[in-house]
Amino acid sequence: EIVMTQSPATLSVSPGERATLSCRASQSVSSNLAWYQQKPGQAPRLLIYGASTRATGIPARFSGSGSGTEFTLTISSLQSEDFAVYYCQQYNNWPHSFGQGTKLEIK
Amino acid sequence: QVQLVESGGGVVQPGGSLRLSCAASGFTFSSYGMHWVRQAPGKGLEWVAFIRYDGSNKYYADSVKGRFTISRDNSKNTLYLQMNSLRAEDTAVYYCAKDFTIFGVVPYYFDYWGQGTLVTVSS
């Protein structure tokens, strides 16, 4: 099974600043990587798929990059509604696997 | 709009059984694969099972293989998860989620999620 490792576990950023979240795969997953956002008490929401394609309705301040084993989710100019937990997920190999999450909190 | 509504959660004793349902609307249910994903209290996400759009292929996480069965009724736009031999470690919120790819033969990622139903396994 491919192990997905996210860093940092917690990221403290001020509103209006940029946040950079990392996700590393234990072996190559090509570009078969998705990012999800989860707020307390809510279901996850798809943000990015194919490593860099924004899902429908996702603001342009969210961007994804990377391929192979190293991936990044960047949120430019953080808004109050962006503070949440973010998960990466690989869908290149079975079974699909998630990272453990990065909590983005207000500094 | 796409809606997924789970039901059937509750408290069950270790070794017991429970069947979850997920009622789908707002899309052509019979054209998409469906997943169950769970989240233990305060923990991350764990994919549980996938069923192809026509029900012909099913995949399971090792942690539930042989105990859980995913199924679907396309005439009722409903997804199911039969959970047997439940353990304390199965305690979680269970989400049903729609696969992104129409007529996909293998699972991809999840573009819509339900709000989840809580399963608690405790004596």
Side-chain angles (χ1 to χ4, degrees), chain B residues 12-57:
Chain B
V12 60
Q13 292 189 338
S17 298
L18 213 54
R19 188 175 87 152
L20 307 182
S21 300
C22 171
S25 60
F27 67 103
T28 305
F29 181 72
S30 59
S31 299
Y32 291 89
M34 296 293 295
H35 303 259
W36 287 100
V37 179
R38 68 184 180 183
Q39 186 170 36
K43 302 297 183 182
L45 301 167
E46 180 188 16
W47 169 81
V48 172
F50 167 82
I51 185 168
R52 215 173 91 150
Y53 64 94
D54 57 2
S56 62
N57 269 6

Side-chain angles (χ1 to χ4, degrees), chain B residues 64-108:
Chain B
V64 307
K65 199 174 296 182
R67 300 188 299 122
F68 290 11
T69 301
I70 189 171
S71 62
R72 64 191 297 159
D73 186 336
N74 285 346
S75 68
K76 295 182 178 179
N77 289 349
T78 302
L79 175 72
Y80 302 100
L81 185 68
Q82 177 66 44
M83 303 185 296
N84 298 331
S85 302
L86 282 161
R87 306 166 179 167
E89 55 265 35
D90 295 319
T91 294
V93 174
Y94 285 73
Y95 297 100
C96 70
K98 173 185 167 291
D99 195 84
F100 178 83
T101 306
I102 190 168
F103 299 128
V105 295
V106 294
Y108 285 88

Side-chain angles (χ1 to χ4, degrees), chain A residues 5-12 19-23 34-48 58 62 73 75 78-89 98-106, chain B residues 39-46 95 113:
Chain A
T5 303
Q6 292 185 240
S7 60
T10 303
L11 183 61
S12 299
T20 302
L21 289 67
S22 296
C23 176
W35 289 94
Y36 303 87
Q37 176 194 67
Q38 187 179 33
K39 298 179 181 179
Q42 295 186 18
R45 176 174 72 145
L46 176 67
L47 298 176
I48 300 284
I58 301 304
F62 290 89
L73 174 69
I75 313 169
L78 278 162
Q79 308 296 302
S80 58
E81 61 267 29
D82 299 335
F83 293 95
V85 178
Y86 292 83
Y87 294 94
C88 61
Q89 175 232 341
F98 290 93
Q100 80 280 16
T102 290
K103 182 179 181 181
L104 182 57
E105 63 177 28
I106 300 175
Chain B
Q39 186 170 36
K43 302 297 183 182
L45 301 167
E46 180 188 16
Y95 297 100
W113 300 63

Side-chain angles (χ1 to χ4, degrees), chain A residues 36 38 43-44 49 91 94 96, chain B residues 39 47 59 95 107-110 114:
Chain A
Y36 303 87
Q38 187 179 33
Y49 61 91
Y91 52 95
W94 198 254
H96 295 174
Chain B
Q39 186 170 36
W47 169 81
Y59 298 78
Y95 297 100
Y108 285 88
Y109 47 89
F110 324 103

